[in-house]
Amino acid sequence: MMLDLAALQTFVDANRASVYQLLHRCFVLEKPFLLRSELAGERNEFIAGPGGDTIAGSTLDATLSVSQEAALQAPWFYLAVRPSIGRWRYLRINAETMQLDEVSVSQYLRFKESLVDGPGFGDSWPLEIDFDPFGHPFPRLKEARSIGRGVEVLNRHLSGKLLADAENGAHRLVRFLSLHTCDGQQLMLDPGMNEAQAVRRAVRGALEILSNLANDDPFTAVATELRGVGFEPGWGNTVGRARESLELLQDLLQAPDPDTLAKFLARVPMVFNVVILSPHGYFAQSNVMGLPDTGGQIVYILDQVRALEYEIRARLSEQGVKYEPQILVVTRLIPEAGNTTCNEQLESISGTEKARILRVPFRTETGEIVPEWISRFDVWPYIERFSLEAEREILAELRTRPDLVVGNYSDGNLAAAIIGERLRVTKCTIAHALEKTKYLMSDLYWRDNEPQYHFSCQFTADLIAMNTADFVITSTYQEIAGTSESAGQYESYHAYTMPGLHRVVDGIDVYDPRFNIVSPGADPEIYFPYYETDRRLTGLHPELEAKLFEAGLPGTRGQLRGPDKPVLFSMARLDRVKNLTGLAEWFGRNSRLRRAANLFLVAGFVDSEASSDDEEIAEINRMHELMDRYELDGDMRWVPHVDRVVGSELYRFVADRRGAFIQPALFEAFGLTVVEAMVCGLPTFATCFGGPLEIIEHGLSGFHIDPNHGDRSADLMADFFERCASEPEHWTTISQGGVDRVNSRYTWKAYAERMMTLARIYGFWKYMTNLEQAETRRYLEMLYALQFRPQAQAILENTD
């Protein structure tokens, strides 16, 4: 949408009475802020009433339709307008004079601050954080459809730089290739080969040497001869592959283009050792699922590690480099670990050759180890010391620097930023889920939430990590930029204010080429369709039968009186955002759904005394209250969490009974359980907010539900089960649609290939340009020292 202020002012002037009535309607609500849905509701009701037709279809109507928020206090009415994805403008209307003005982001945020803290507060001088001045050296995406495909734009930009300054670009490329070593062995080019023209001649000579040999001859047959003209191992394990690599280099030195550059960099041995950081929660391979702050991220990272190790090993083999790659998952050591292995410093990861979990403790200011689990919201005072100790342990364990450091979640991303900056290695950020969008207006009212959530630390850590990262991985487009109707998680960090702390006028630009979509998958050895009967874990079926139907099974609640009915199944942590209590309430209120299916929940603990997490305890108590209120004990079964092998067969066990999976979260960044359920052949209903909107094609491979309209969602599920009862083939169609969708789009093999491509290209970009800009680095260091560190220290002081 094009925002024409002159046309908008003309309309307002010509329809002053109607515009005033609409504004007055909002003022009398006596709410300082109206969200997009609330603003749309008021606009719709006004248009439906007397005189509303003057607004309908007007320029004002169009402006309101793309406004994400209104901030109001008579006579002022401010609008945050999002004409298109990632592009914002801010307007205000004076209801008395009907004067329309465009205001800066700083002015808009100042007005919001005054509504939170009272008149006059907006005249103070808070710290304004602005990263815009540091973004100009980077190529910026132009189109919204390119968001999340930054590596493609970066590749074109890099090849353009090589072509524009041919001789200097070629020289830098040659110098880059001569820097590569592995375990003391020189790779690619002899360091003495530092002139582009000399390398061009040498390539011609090397190709002449290779021309008389068969493609499948081993590289070792010509290694000595090629070393004589300046070429070290790393070009390929066979003569044919080495020839292809040298021809790609020859083309790059002659006329660079994006495709050739990408193909060539994919052949350069650049990544040998990887460090993955995930400090919070209980990180282990067994007995941790369902514990506080522990869930899908464990599965994600372990599957990620297995896929990455396989990919790195395969590439090194093809490149002719003999080296055993190492991957370290660095997490927190918890002495009071219960029946988990979280108190073990080092643990090998099953299904890998050399990947390990390395655990480093949190320490107090006096150096004592913190023995107990700590909520992810309370970890901030420990992250800096943890990072410094982890750096020492990483170097000792690897006996070299890592080539790539990957952060997970806000705390892991901050640790990755600290370690990556100190070691000067390529840094990747994976947020998974940013808390800022989970908790409504958590930035504006941060002080109300500070005792429990410490958002002052978390949001500042997010800003630092995002702007420190060399590249950012997201699972979906929505995670970055949302939809045409709503802003994305990262986009929400573009401009916001935390009154009394700081004001962010330019924090994150979703058109930054650092953003890349790399969707995870489900482990194909564990998650496979129900109809692959020869792979089924049938020995688990008596146990699963008992979990669903056995009366009086310890640690469970509910008894399914209609065992022949299909099962509506959900599995998640018991926290507010996952919304399992919301699902229980929808089910309890909907008589059609209760007649058509049983509800089966696998979630956390059934006994609140078994949990130490306040939010989980509240959800456990609410679940019991709902089961009592709606008398659900005959239609609903609730059992504690299970491990993922049992969980995978549980998906298929429910599919055998023509059931369905439901993921009712208020917001879900990706939705790994959605992918798991779909690939097991279980028809899936999932939230329309977040990743599932992209994973599922509504009506073809599953269904979208709106968790804000539970009754409608319950009706949709009831419709499905009723239709399947009369048309069994409908269940089969949706089931197979889900399997096909996952197999075509969401696999760990594709994830690992993409991840390594990004590591190589951004590593090359880091060398070819001044990606490590001193100005940005100093700015981030000041933000860390002056904002993050004092807020983190305050957590300990307030606890004491």
Side-chain angles (χ1 to χ4, degrees):
M1 169 194 164
M2 294 294 293
L3 189 59
D4 187 336
L5 293 182
L8 189 55
Q9 181 69 70
T10 299
F11 174 81
V12 170
D13 290 340
N15 299 274
R16 294 172 68 92
S18 295
V19 174
Y20 177 83
Q21 289 176 49
L22 176 58
L23 299 183
H24 179 72
R25 178 188 183 92
C26 295
F27 286 137
V28 297
L29 296 173
E30 296 186 347
K31 298 177 68 173
F33 305 102
L34 295 180
L35 300 179
R36 183 179 184 277
S37 58
E38 296 171 313
L39 191 60
E42 295 303 316
R43 168 256 180 208
N44 292 339
E45 289 189 22
F46 179 80
I47 286 177
D53 55 342
T54 59
I55 299 294
S58 67
T59 55
L60 177 61
D61 191 19
T63 301
L64 293 173
S65 71
V66 294
S67 294
Q68 292 294 309
E69 177 187 67
L72 53 155
Q73 185 177 64
W76 294 108
F77 192 92
Y78 281 67
L79 287 171
V81 185
R82 186 174 177 259
S84 59
I85 288 173
R87 307 186 192 281
W88 294 78
R89 296 176 72 176
Y90 303 92
L91 309 179
R92 69 178 180 185
I93 304 174
N94 187 305
E96 295 175 354
T97 65
M98 288 296 154
Q99 177 64 38
L100 175 72
D101 299 301
E102 183 164 11
V103 297
S104 67
V105 60
S106 186
Q107 289 173 300
Y108 178 73
L109 295 176
R110 186 183 306 137
F111 182 70
K112 291 178 70 173
E113 292 161 5
S114 71
L115 297 181
V116 173
D117 284 347
F121 183 86
D123 295 329
S124 63
W125 292 83
L127 170 66
E128 283 201 346
I129 298 172
D130 186 0
F131 285 97
D132 180 64
F134 306 106
H136 299 303
F138 300 95
R140 190 173 185 271
L141 308 182
K142 298 292 192 299
E143 303 298 332
R145 62 184 175 82
S146 298
I147 291 171
R149 294 158 47 196
V151 71
E152 299 170 22
V153 174
L154 190 61
N155 222 12
R156 289 195 295 270
H157 183 77
L158 276 170
S159 59
K161 285 177 71 71
L162 289 174
L163 186 61
D165 187 3
E167 204 54 38
N168 184 50
H171 174 74
R172 299 198 72 183
L173 174 59
V174 166
R175 178 64 184 143
F176 173 74
L177 293 177
S178 70
L179 296 176
H180 290 84
T181 63
C182 176
D183 207 18
Q185 179 186 21
Q186 181 65 41
L187 300 177
M188 304 305 286
L189 283 181
D190 186 299
M193 299 277 288
N194 52 21
E195 293 296 331
Q197 194 57 41
V199 172
R200 290 189 183 98
R201 289 194 298 270
V203 169
R204 288 194 290 270
L207 289 173
E208 182 66 28
I209 292 170
L210 298 175
S211 64
N212 297 319
L213 299 171
N215 284 340
D216 56 359
D217 285 346
F219 180 84
T220 52
V222 292
T224 302
E225 197 171 357
L226 288 181
R227 183 175 285 116
V229 293
F231 294 98
E232 301 288 345
W235 294 94
N237 58 344
T238 64
V239 165
R241 189 164 181 83
R243 181 187 293 117
E244 292 170 358
S245 300
L246 286 165
E247 288 173 347
L248 288 169
L249 175 60
Q250 189 175 54
D251 291 342
L252 276 178
L253 292 173
Q254 179 175 302
D257 69 82
D259 289 342
T260 303
L261 180 60
K263 289 176 183 176
F264 179 71
L265 290 177
R267 291 166 174 260
V268 177
M270 293 171 58
V271 181
F272 308 95
N273 303 303
V274 178
V275 168
I276 298 172
L277 286 139
S278 182
H280 78 252
Y282 291 85
F283 198 105
Q285 298 176 82
S286 60
N287 299 329
V288 296
M289 298 303 288
L291 293 178
D293 291 341
T294 306
Q297 82 271 19
I298 304 293
V299 175
Y300 179 107
I301 293 171
L302 291 174
D303 283 349
Q304 175 196 52
V305 166
R306 296 183 183 101
L308 287 178
E309 187 191 67
Y310 181 86
E311 172 67 15
I312 296 171
R313 291 173 67 86
R315 293 296 158 262
L316 290 178
S317 176
E318 289 177 348
Q319 291 153 356
V321 178
K322 293 183 178 180
Y323 183 78
E324 290 291 327
Q326 302 182 80
I327 300 179
L328 291 181
V329 177
V330 183
T331 187
R332 186 196 161 202
L333 185 142
I334 307 174
E336 296 178 2
N339 65 339
T340 77
T341 56
C342 294
N343 57 352
E344 296 180 10
Q345 183 187 26
L346 206 61
E347 179 182 350
S348 296
I349 296 177
S350 64
T352 71
E353 299 288 335
K354 296 276 286 185
R356 287 96 74 199
I357 300 170
L358 172 65
R359 297 187 179 90
V360 177
F362 285 173
R363 295 185 185 273
T364 65
E365 291 178 299
T366 57
E368 297 172 342
I369 293 176
V370 178
E372 72 278 359
W373 166 85
I374 295 175
S375 164
R376 72 184 187 276
F377 297 113
D378 298 328
V379 299
W380 303 110
Y382 307 100
I383 292 298
E384 181 175 326
R385 187 163 188 162
F386 167 87
S387 301
L388 299 179
E389 186 170 345
E391 178 191 337
R392 293 192 296 271
E393 294 291 339
I394 289 165
L395 294 176
E397 187 65 27
L398 295 179
R399 300 185 181 182
T400 185
R401 290 192 311 167
D403 305 292
L404 174 66
V405 175
V406 182
N408 291 271
Y409 291 86
S410 299
D411 51 338
N413 287 327
L414 183 63
I418 294 171
I419 294 171
E421 279 294 290
R422 287 173 58 85
L423 296 180
R424 292 288 183 264
V425 297
T426 304
K427 302 172 291 297
C428 169
T429 283
I430 308 177
H432 294 280
L434 293 163
E435 304 286 351
K436 186 171 176 295
T437 51
K438 286 185 181 180
Y439 297 85
L440 190 62
M441 295 189 181
S442 52
D443 49 358
L444 274 174
Y445 296 100
W446 68 275
R447 281 173 294 206
D448 296 340
N449 296 305
E450 193 68 1
Q452 181 176 1
Y453 295 119
H454 307 299
F455 288 141
S456 64
C457 288
Q458 184 150 21
F459 298 170
T460 307
D462 287 336
L463 273 184
I464 292 170
M466 293 172 196
N467 284 285
T468 302
D470 297 316
F471 64 101
V472 179
I473 280 181
T474 71
S475 298
T476 64
Y477 180 97
Q478 282 192 78
E479 198 176 332
I480 310 169
T483 67
S484 57
E485 289 80 31
S486 59
Q489 290 186 67
Y490 280 96
E491 191 178 357
S492 73
Y493 281 78
H494 170 65
Y496 66 93
T497 182
M498 302 182 80
L501 183 62
H502 59 234
R503 180 188 299 158
V504 178
V505 297
D506 193 296
I508 290 296
D509 180 6
V510 296
Y511 287 87
D512 191 310
R514 284 181 291 189
F515 286 103
N516 290 275
I517 300 167
V518 188
S519 300
D523 186 338
E525 297 301 315
I526 296 176
Y527 301 99
F528 52 85
Y530 69 96
Y531 48 74
E532 295 186 12
T533 54
D534 58 327
R535 302 176 65 191
R536 295 286 299 273
L537 305 176
T538 53
L540 292 176
H541 287 194
E543 176 186 337
L544 299 182
E545 187 84 24
K547 283 188 181 296
L548 264 77
F549 303 115
E550 183 179 316
L553 190 68
T556 69
R557 177 168 178 184
Q559 172 68 40
L560 301 180
R561 287 192 295 260
D564 295 331
K565 290 194 295 187
V567 172
L568 179 61
F569 169 40
S570 192
M571 179 165 56
R573 293 192 314 275
L574 257 178
D575 64 31
R576 187 180 64 82
V577 174
K578 293 300 183 183
N579 197 35
L580 292 185
T581 52
L583 169 62
E585 186 159 22
W586 308 343
F587 182 79
R589 288 200 304 246
N590 195 292
S591 57
R592 287 177 56 221
L593 184 56
R594 291 178 69 167
R595 285 194 301 271
N598 289 315
L599 179 62
F600 179 55
L601 300 183
V602 176
F605 300 103
V606 177
D607 182 359
S608 62
E609 292 186 2
S611 175
S612 57
D613 182 85
D614 291 342
E615 188 170 307
E616 183 180 41
I617 291 169
E619 289 295 293
I620 291 171
N621 292 335
R622 176 165 165 72
M623 187 70 79
H624 284 295
E625 187 272 324
L626 289 169
M627 292 186 73
D628 291 340
R629 185 196 312 172
Y630 293 105
E631 299 179 347
L632 291 175
D633 283 290
D635 301 322
M636 173 179 160
R637 177 81 153 186
W638 173 21
V639 305
H641 229 292
V642 297
D643 68 45
R644 69 182 190 143
V645 175
V646 174
S648 69
E649 189 60 27
L650 188 51
Y651 288 127
R652 294 184 286 267
F653 190 77
V654 173
D656 289 338
R657 287 153 178 75
R658 293 301 187 261
F661 184 75
I662 165 71
Q663 202 269 36
L666 301 176
F667 181 86
E668 184 63 58
F670 179 63
L672 203 52
T673 55
V674 172
V675 170
E676 292 168 357
M678 289 170 66
V679 82
C680 288
L682 195 54
T684 299
F685 296 80
T687 180
C688 64
F689 298 115
L693 188 63
E694 294 177 35
I695 296 171
I696 291 173
E697 302 162 292
H698 185 74
L700 298 175
S701 54
F703 303 92
H704 300 137
I705 60 167
D706 185 343
N708 296 317
H709 296 283
D711 291 337
R712 283 187 224 161
S713 301
D715 282 338
L716 180 64
M717 290 181 276
D719 290 343
F720 171 77
F721 284 116
E722 288 171 357
R723 180 175 176 183
C724 291
S726 59
E727 302 174 36
E729 65 276 9
H730 181 59
W731 188 96
T732 305
T733 299
I734 300 299
S735 167
Q736 191 59 45
V739 174
D740 294 342
R741 176 70 171 172
V742 172
N743 286 336
S744 67
R745 294 284 295 273
Y746 303 101
T747 69
W748 280 113
K749 183 178 186 298
Y751 175 101
E753 291 173 354
R754 180 74 167 168
M755 179 79 153
M756 288 299 98
T757 296
L758 296 175
R760 294 185 187 99
I761 291 177
Y762 284 92
F764 181 55
W765 164 251
K766 190 183 185 77
Y767 173 78
M768 289 293 289
T769 67
N770 185 22
L771 188 60
E772 296 179 290
Q773 297 173 72
E775 303 94 334
T776 308
R777 196 161 61 246
R778 290 300 186 196
Y779 192 74
L780 288 164
E781 287 170 357
M782 286 192 293
L783 183 59
Y784 181 90
L786 299 178
Q787 285 280 286
F788 175 80
R789 192 179 277 153
Q791 294 298 322
Q793 181 62 31
I795 295 175
L796 289 180
E797 293 171 357
N798 292 334
T799 301
D800 295 341

